[in-house]
Amino acid sequence: MIISVASGKGGTGKTLVATSLALSLKGKGKVQLLDCDVEEPNAHIFLRSTTNQNQPVFLPVPKVDETKCTYCGKCAEVCAYNAIAVIKQKVLVFPELCHSCGACSYLCPESAISEEGREIGVVERDSLGNMEFIQGRLAIGEPMAPPIIREVKKHIDPTKEVIIDVSPGTSCPVIEAVKGSDFCLLVTEPTPFGLNDLALAVEVTRKLGISSGVVINRVGVGDEKVESYCHEQGIPILLKIPLDRDIATLYSKGIPLIEGKPEWHNTFLKLFQDIKKIVSANQAVE
Ligand code: SF4
Ligand code: SF4
């Protein structure tokens, strides 16, 4: 089963939930934790992982052979991302804008364009007993997270329980990380900002056809509107985590919740079982 852990809003405690869920399953069989928050992966801090196996990720970008080029401008014309420009007797390539669609090299009438790899980040792996940990890390200044996320997700082993830590927001990296999941856990907080971003994240999961449930973190900090919204929308609230100084202290020290407060271990196991029941019920309906 693949469970993605997302949050429309940043700073809601998504990584706290993802790591605690994965660690609670560690003694129950094989589990994978994938950190797909590739612009700022931080699950490794909680797992104390040194990620010893690294694999660079390359994107193909065009390389122009100007001895063949006639400066016809066809490549610039077909590029939807303005990643290639032809000016007088020069072809300029802007690798950071290139989406590696291959259209320019395919359509160049002189076959003057080949492709070369450009490193945009790395996939790092570690083995932590029964848990396999895989994280993507986008190189500083690189704009495109989805190709790194795709590389991380290639490591998914369908025989294992897979937890995916998704980046905050509702943009392309979130969609790339969440799609293909059996269930999406949405971590929010009971504030107006939390509610606004939760509603956006719910829309994304509905568009993707993935059922979702909610974890409300820092219960006590705001109002009841998140709960009312979930009831109105028929979205199950699967866990509430109180506003608690000890939990905040553990988080700030990079200590997983179920390690610092072992009494939470069974709560996260139950969370997993509840998700499993929902997924099984959905599969039975299909
Ligand atoms: S399409 Fe090919 S020949 Fe035309 S400008 Fe681009 S690289 Fe040169
Ligand atoms: S590969 Fe696609 S995105 Fe990149 S420069 Fe060529 S046409 Fe543009």
Side-chain angles (χ1 to χ4, degrees), residues 62 79 81 83-84 98-104:
C79 181
Y81 303 98
I84 193 161
C98 176
H99 282 54
S100 305
C101 71
C104 54

Side-chain angles (χ1 to χ4, degrees), residues 64 69-75 86 91 108-110 112-113:
V64 178
C69 178
T70 58
Y71 309 102
C72 67
K74 187 83 186 163
C75 50
V86 182
V91 180
C108 171
E110 309 300 329
I113 302 180

Side-chain angles (χ1 to χ4, degrees), residues 67-131:
T67 62
K68 292 182 181 173
C69 178
T70 58
Y71 309 102
C72 67
K74 187 83 186 163
C75 50
E77 208 178 290
V78 299
C79 181
Y81 303 98
N82 299 318
I84 193 161
V86 182
I87 46 160
K88 290 187 180 168
Q89 299 294 291
K90 187 84 193 154
V91 180
L92 301 173
V93 176
F94 306 101
E96 295 78 18
L97 299 180
C98 176
H99 282 54
S100 305
C101 71
C104 54
S105 58
Y106 185 73
L107 291 167
C108 171
E110 309 300 329
S111 300
I113 302 180
S114 58
E115 290 180 333
E116 60 184 353
R118 186 172 71 85
E119 190 172 334
I120 59 159
V122 68
V123 172
E124 300 167 327
R125 297 171 64 195
D126 197 4
S127 191
L128 305 159
N130 261 356
M131 183 193 293

Side-chain angles (χ1 to χ4, degrees), residues 18-41:
T19 51
S20 294
L21 188 57
L23 286 168
S24 73
L25 297 172
K26 209 175 157 190
K28 297 283 170 190
K30 299 247 162 55
V31 56
Q32 289 183 312
L33 176 60
L34 273 53
D35 193 343
C36 286
D37 187 355
V38 302
E39 284 169 78
E40 210 174 335

Side-chain angles (χ1 to χ4, degrees), residues 208-219:
L208 292 172
I210 296 168
S211 61
S212 64
V214 165
V215 173
I216 307 180
N217 190 17
R218 300 191 197 101
V219 169

